[in-house]
Amino acid sequence: VDPVELGLHDYFDIIKRPMDLGTIQKKIESGSYHAIEDFSADVRLTFDNAMLYNEANSVVHDMAKELKIKFTKDYGALLASLEAEETERRKNDKACSLCGCEKLLFEPPVFFCNGLSCPTSRIRRNTHFYVGGNKQYFFCNQCYNELDENVQIDMGDLTLKKNELKKRKNDEVHEESWVQCDDCNRWIHQICGLFNTRQNKEHKSEYRCPQCLLEKRKANPQTIQAKPPGAEDLQRTKLSEWLEKHVAGKVEERRKTLLREKAESEQNMSELDALKAMGDAGPIIIRQVTSTDRKLEVRERMKRRYAHKNYPDEFPFRCKCIVVFQKLDGVDVILFALYVYEHDAKNPAPNTRTVYVSYLDSVHFMRPRKLRTFVYHEILISYLDYARQRGFATAHIWACPPLKGDDYIFYAKPEDQKTPKDGRLRQWYIDMLVECQKRDIVGKVTNMYDLYFANEKLDATAVPYLEGDYFPGEAENIIKDIEEGGSKKGGSSSKKSKKKRNGSSSSSSSGTSNKTKSKSKAGRSGTRSGSNDEDEVEMPEPSYKDGGRDQVMVKLGDTIQPMKESFIVAFLNWKGAKEEDMVVPKEITEYREKAKKEKEESGKDPTADDVLSSALADEASSSSSNNRKRDANGNIRAAGSNSSSTTATDKNGQLVKIADDDIDEMDCEFFNNRQAFLNLCRGNHYQFDELRRSKHTSMMVLWHLHNRGAPKFVQQCASCNREILTGTRHHCNVCTDFDLCDECFKNPNTDRGACNHKLDAIPVEGEKESQSSSSGFTEAQRKERQKNIKLHIQLIEHASRCKSSSCKSSNCAKMKSYLKHGQTCKLKTIGGCKICKRIWTLLRIHANQCKSSNCPIPQCIAIRERIRQLTKQQQAMDDRRRQEMNRHYRHGMTESR
């Protein structure tokens, strides 16, 4: 139906949700439907609209009514046919009784080289490479050939030798593993049955498939089943509580609006029926999984070029990761993750009071699906509200989607989930910031070019230097070009333009491009003389060190100017905000005044959010002052003590600690950066491409979060395909990735395939089922634990430097023996030694803070190098995004000419 062409002027007054069969066909062809129910609803809506707009007994009304009846009949027959096929497929002995499928394959694994020649480079498919160290480290053929046979390869957490690396070909395809139900003896995919292999101790754990478990619960409804720790049991923080309370209230309002709209659009549909049609939507749970102090080292050329301005060598910041879960069919599923970097008031300029929305990623399984954008916007809005009340002044966002084949945070997302183009992603952020402006959270919204590059007086030291951002990498490349003489041609052209230039040196940045690119002496005014002699004298441009125009800013400004809208800068409405930074468009001001008037007329009291905002602002103000709080006895509390922490009640009514995410250190090795989480998911086939896999992946990630000390990767038995968690594994030093569990090794009938070599017995340390996360600790236990960690790190530092054979410290000799053990331990190469694990954790904490270029502590340099490699993997993806963005806009400019 084309109401405009047909002259139906009142069509949109009567029909609130237009739909037609042509639109439905386009949605089918584009894969927009994710459930057959959505398709059915649109077809029914088409016929309902036709009957609603046209009078009863008219030709169109009767035809639509007849077609709807026929569609309902055919649709029911189709569902019955599909259900019969599904039931028949599940009866197959070779198929999974839950999904009805047989052999299911994972995504082909992705490997990144750890060698020196091409670090962080992806190893190409169908090429040979070498692997070692518990399958965590990989070397391409070139880097392997460059290794020395007699030199150990120190990877930080373990050491390798060249002859220990196993040759493999990157052509592997892994199949999903199976598990047998102990009640019905049916075989199902481990992922379909949500089977946790890490809890299958000695392969003797009892397992019931979901079908048998459901039957048992129906037979004994009063029986309470023990549940493993879930998303709600993770550590709560002030930030996560703020986000969850805000989002929960907004989601409830939005859900009511959607229910009302659906009930109004469907004829004779009650709100209860509308609720059923929207599907079962579980609660949204928001948790903060990491909050750590990190530092961003300034790249060499940038540091060297601006050393005369005392440019910092590094920028410390607070890295926070937010993960969002939703209960789907009773299972906690990860749907959204967000990394933010906070540079507080103590940070050196230009990063002072800056927050950077670094990475965010999502999968489209949220219910109802219409809430996705709304929920994610509300999370960002509430975070910016939290940040500005903590004293942050600006928020920076680089709106650039990942390249094809790259993952941001979640590994292997659904094929039908499209990656947004840069324009759409940019508009997504702008829509969120406009809503922030309406709520008086954000003032002026601008871009990096207009803020920094349009002002000729600024040099590159004025631009915030943020990890993962566009500026650090591009600035380094431009400085390299300038140092290698790439700017000579540009310099001569600028001289020519300078001869033609008239006017004062204080010309505004909004002038012509020639004026922008030309230079003038600092402090000089009036009209330039046309004398050739004077031109010759003034030909050498003043250096950027002497107040001249910084060529880095000129070249970088020319590069980003066509794509400047992708580099968003928002001024937050914090306590010390400047008036000029709070200027907003006229329509935003009118909206605020209207909302304020409506609130006054309704006589509404301050909301809980308003009260909480006020309390948070007061707390931020008090924490920044020099006056420390006193305890109950009047004694001044130690600096850094968690004096502002609070408590709340969990789902069982028990008190739980609310950690202060600005004070408490929440270290999570595999969530501290997105690359570590991607590596965890890739190495364990934790994928998000299907809902069933997302459920299983979320279950395993939660297990790792509650058992942070457990190994991240374990070996599988080559015969029974079970993970070897305890006892002894028998390893072949000749065959690639060949291990047998103790049971299969002792069984003479075990099929060993092509392997007939001697197997070495290697003990495997059992995993303890304990909550390693700090959520289970009391305040006193947490402080005692942090104190012990600091003391042990001090002892390691002392023992590494101590040369005395008769040291007065009673623990010095013991720590020296532990450090010596770490250099000779054979189990270290497989990550199986308990002592090495504990020492490694302490060394990693030390290495994160160490700045010494010749630190005597064992492994410190190697661990820092390992951290740099992870950072380089992130930088490699960011560089690919930056290069593609440059190529795209340059190509667009070329075509426009």
Side-chain angles (χ1 to χ4, degrees), residues 396-427:
H396 292 251
I397 301 171
W398 177 20
C400 179
L403 296 181
K404 185 178 181 180
D406 280 337
D407 294 302
Y408 257 178
I409 300 174
F410 299 134
Y411 173 55
K413 291 188 289 187
E415 288 186 7
D416 59 344
Q417 180 172 332
K418 298 178 182 179
T419 301
K421 301 294 184 182
D422 55 349
R424 185 174 180 180
L425 179 63
R426 183 168 59 246
Q427 190 59 48

Side-chain angles (χ1 to χ4, degrees), residues 689-729:
D689 53 341
E690 302 173 8
L691 178 57
R692 65 184 191 92
R693 282 179 172 170
S694 289
K695 289 178 179 179
H696 184 268
T697 295
S698 302
M699 177 190 72
M700 296 308 302
V701 170
L702 281 169
W703 185 87
H704 282 291
L705 284 170
H706 288 292
N707 299 273
R708 301 189 184 190
K712 309 301 178 291
F713 308 93
V714 294
Q715 285 77 18
Q716 274 189 330
C717 176
S719 177
C720 65
N721 291 325
R722 293 181 295 190
E723 293 182 342
I724 307 172
L725 303 175
T726 57
T728 304
R729 72 179 177 95

Side-chain angles (χ1 to χ4, degrees), residues 650-666:
D650 61 10
K651 58 185 178 182
N652 299 319
Q654 297 179 345
L655 286 177
V656 291
K657 170 80 174 358
I658 307 298
D660 190 330
D661 51 283
D662 290 325
I663 297 177
D664 285 345
E665 189 79 5
M666 298 176 62

Side-chain angles (χ1 to χ4, degrees), residues 207 281 382 435 654 697 703 753 814 835:
Y207 173 74
S382 56
E435 187 63 30
Q654 297 179 345
T697 295
W703 185 87
K814 193 173 183 179
I835 295 175

Side-chain angles (χ1 to χ4, degrees), residues 298-363:
V298 177
R299 301 191 188 188
E300 285 301 320
R301 288 186 172 86
M302 182 77 179
K303 186 164 48 178
R304 186 169 58 244
R305 181 177 175 87
Y306 299 102
H308 67 285
K309 300 196 73 171
N310 295 322
Y311 196 71
D313 292 338
E314 61 185 25
F315 290 98
F317 62 93
R318 189 82 166 176
C319 172
K320 297 179 180 180
C321 178
I322 308 297
V323 180
V324 178
F325 302 82
Q326 186 182 28
K327 275 196 178 297
L328 302 178
D329 307 319
V331 180
D332 292 326
V333 181
I334 298 175
L335 299 178
F336 179 84
L338 167 68
Y339 280 91
V340 293
Y341 301 153
E342 297 180 348
H343 299 256
D344 60 16
K346 298 178 182 178
N347 225 270
N351 288 13
T352 311
R353 296 186 182 275
T354 297
V355 295
Y356 181 53
V357 179
S358 178
Y359 301 100
L360 58 84
D361 205 356
S362 68
V363 286

Side-chain angles (χ1 to χ4, degrees), residues 400-536:
C400 179
L403 296 181
K404 185 178 181 180
D406 280 337
D407 294 302
Y408 257 178
I409 300 174
F410 299 134
Y411 173 55
K413 291 188 289 187
E415 288 186 7
D416 59 344
Q417 180 172 332
K418 298 178 182 179
T419 301
K421 301 294 184 182
D422 55 349
R424 185 174 180 180
L425 179 63
R426 183 168 59 246
Q427 190 59 48
W428 190 90
Y429 280 116
I430 292 298
D431 292 342
M432 179 271 297
L433 291 172
V434 167
E435 187 63 30
C436 285
Q437 287 180 321
K438 290 180 179 179
R439 302 184 194 181
D440 207 14
I441 296 171
V442 164
K444 181 171 67 175
V445 176
T446 182
N447 60 75
M448 190 168 70
Y449 178 85
D450 292 342
L451 191 60
Y452 303 111
F453 294 89
N455 187 346
E456 294 188 5
K457 296 180 181 180
L458 298 179
D459 60 18
T461 61
V463 184
Y465 201 89
L466 307 167
E467 180 169 312
D469 194 27
Y470 178 92
F471 173 74
E474 191 67 14
E476 196 75 1
N477 286 345
I478 288 176
I479 295 172
K480 180 182 178 182
D481 290 342
I482 292 174
E483 290 178 348
E484 293 177 355
S487 62
K488 289 181 180 178
K489 186 175 180 180
S492 62
S493 64
S494 74
K495 292 175 186 177
K496 292 177 183 178
S497 65
K498 181 178 178 179
K499 292 180 182 180
K500 299 176 183 179
R501 178 181 175 183
N502 288 320
S504 67
S505 63
S506 59
S507 299
S508 69
S509 61
S510 61
T512 63
S513 59
N514 286 336
K515 289 183 180 180
T516 302
K517 293 180 182 179
S518 58
K519 309 286 185 298
S520 61
K521 278 195 172 185
R524 190 177 182 87
S525 62
T527 305
R528 288 285 311 278
S529 169
S531 168
N532 290 336
D533 293 337
E534 186 173 342
D535 281 346
E536 290 298 326

Side-chain angles (χ1 to χ4, degrees), residues 36-37 39-41 43-44 67-85:
I36 194 171
E37 293 81 8
F39 161 75
S40 172
V43 174
R44 296 174 195 274
L67 287 174
K68 182 179 179 181
I69 294 172
K70 179 171 175 53
F71 171 78
T72 303
K73 181 180 178 181
D74 292 345
Y75 179 72
L78 175 64
L79 289 183
S81 174
L82 292 175
E83 188 174 346
E85 289 179 11

